[in-house]
Amino acid sequence: MSYKTILVHVDQSRHLGPRVAAAASLALAENAHLIGVAMTGISRFAYQSGAPTLAAHLETLRARAAGALAEFEALARGLGVASIETRLVDDDAAGGISVQARYCDLVVVGQTDLRDPSPAVPPDFPEYVLMHCGRPLLIVPHAGGAPFAADKILVAWDASMEATHAVGGALPLLRRAGRVDLVVFNPDPHSEQAHGAQPGADIALYLARHGIAVEVTQQHTEADIGAALLAKAAALSSDLIVMGGYGHSRLREIVLGGTTRSVLDAAAVPVLMAH
């Protein structure tokens, strides 16, 4: 597997630069086509209803989205990406990206920054996209500003379907990494179906067949698993976390597991998640 089409969410956030830089770095490494998508911010269902009050706002909304796409293209070309595409979509941010994601290999979005709210991007944007896009999602943190790197990767493994999807979606990154650590928190010795006789050994063997050497750690903790995972990443100086994203959605209500929520809220390094 390789990333041949990478999609990045484009808006007028002050964090757009690092997000585009991360997506561009991956596009260059994978020789991938990079698509920047900006939404007007109003649901496509509202447009379809033909509400007359929307017509007055449409031109302004499209002009704002077009300006963000122009910034994206300038940034991406300045970073050396040759194959670039821009898309302006009449839809809300979360729904629009989730639909566009069906035709790419990886989606790049920004971590929610409550200090820099956007009227066009809801606070639950990463969560909604994670639950609805059907693709691996790379969340770029708003803190810091270090260039994107994936040389030291930490994989959180619990033998779940979500973690399996995340590992599969991260294979191109894992192959290029200089070090891959895999951690199993609180393995249950009585649950061989979930972890096998040696928790983490089966997935390590699978990755070895892909040419990826893994250091496996079993760690017991009384703390919140999300906090423990972030602490482990800090201790190992990991520059990327790979993990499953857990939860479910009821229309616009996103109910996430505690680990997923903790990491989405507090991660200081990029996180690749899959549901």
Side-chain angles (χ1 to χ4, degrees):
M1 173 191 173
S2 60
Y3 303 137
K4 290 305 179 187
T5 306
I6 297 172
L7 189 76
V8 59
H9 171 234
V10 173
D11 61 4
Q12 294 182 306
S13 163
R14 61 191 177 94
H15 304 301
L16 177 62
R19 192 187 320 153
V20 174
S25 173
L26 289 170
L28 288 169
E30 293 286 314
N31 192 27
H33 181 61
L34 180 60
I35 304 173
V37 179
M39 273 65 61
T40 49
I42 299 178
S43 170
R44 61 190 180 279
F45 301 112
Y47 287 110
Q48 292 166 4
S49 72
T53 55
L54 292 177
H57 302 291
L58 184 56
E59 185 176 346
T60 298
L61 293 171
R62 285 180 170 167
R64 288 177 180 172
L69 287 172
E71 182 180 357
F72 153 76
E73 185 168 8
L75 287 168
R77 292 200 184 282
L79 292 166
V81 181
S83 184
I84 296 173
E85 179 183 347
T86 60
R87 294 180 186 171
L88 198 162
V89 178
D90 290 334
D91 204 348
D92 68 282
I97 279 286
S98 296
V99 171
Q100 296 290 319
R102 313 283 163 78
Y103 312 102
C104 69
D105 299 305
L106 180 70
V107 185
V108 182
V109 302
Q111 182 186 37
T112 296
D113 183 0
L114 296 178
R115 298 168 301 176
D116 183 32
S118 168
V121 181
D124 69 347
F125 174 70
E127 296 95 316
Y128 187 94
V129 178
L130 171 67
M131 300 301 296
H132 292 85
C133 73
R135 297 295 188 183
L137 184 71
L138 180 68
I139 302 108
V140 179
H142 57 72
F148 176 78
D151 185 57
K152 291 179 285 187
I153 300 178
L154 176 61
V155 178
W157 180 250
D158 62 1
S160 67
M161 180 176 65
E162 291 85 354
T164 303
H165 287 166
V167 168
L171 281 176
L173 293 167
L174 294 168
R175 288 193 192 101
R176 291 199 308 272
R179 178 184 174 96
V180 177
D181 291 281
L182 186 143
V183 59
V184 180
F185 287 104
N186 299 337
D188 182 354
H190 303 295
S191 180
E192 291 191 10
Q193 183 178 5
H195 285 295
Q198 292 184 316
D202 289 344
I203 190 65
L205 180 59
Y206 166 81
L207 290 172
R209 293 191 181 110
H210 282 275
I212 302 164
V214 177
E215 293 288 335
V216 178
T217 302
Q218 299 175 28
Q219 183 169 325
H220 294 269
T221 179
E222 298 296 328
D224 170 77
I225 298 297
L229 177 59
L230 295 176
K232 183 74 171 179
L236 293 170
S237 299
S238 304
D239 44 37
L240 177 70
I241 296 170
V242 173
M243 63 179 288
Y246 307 91
H248 63 277
S249 63
R250 297 188 295 267
L251 297 178
R252 286 299 312 202
E253 181 183 2
I254 308 297
V255 182
L256 295 180
T259 300
T260 306
R261 168 61 63 197
S262 297
V263 173
L264 276 175
D265 288 348
V269 297
V271 181
L272 189 146
M273 285 188 179
H275 176 63

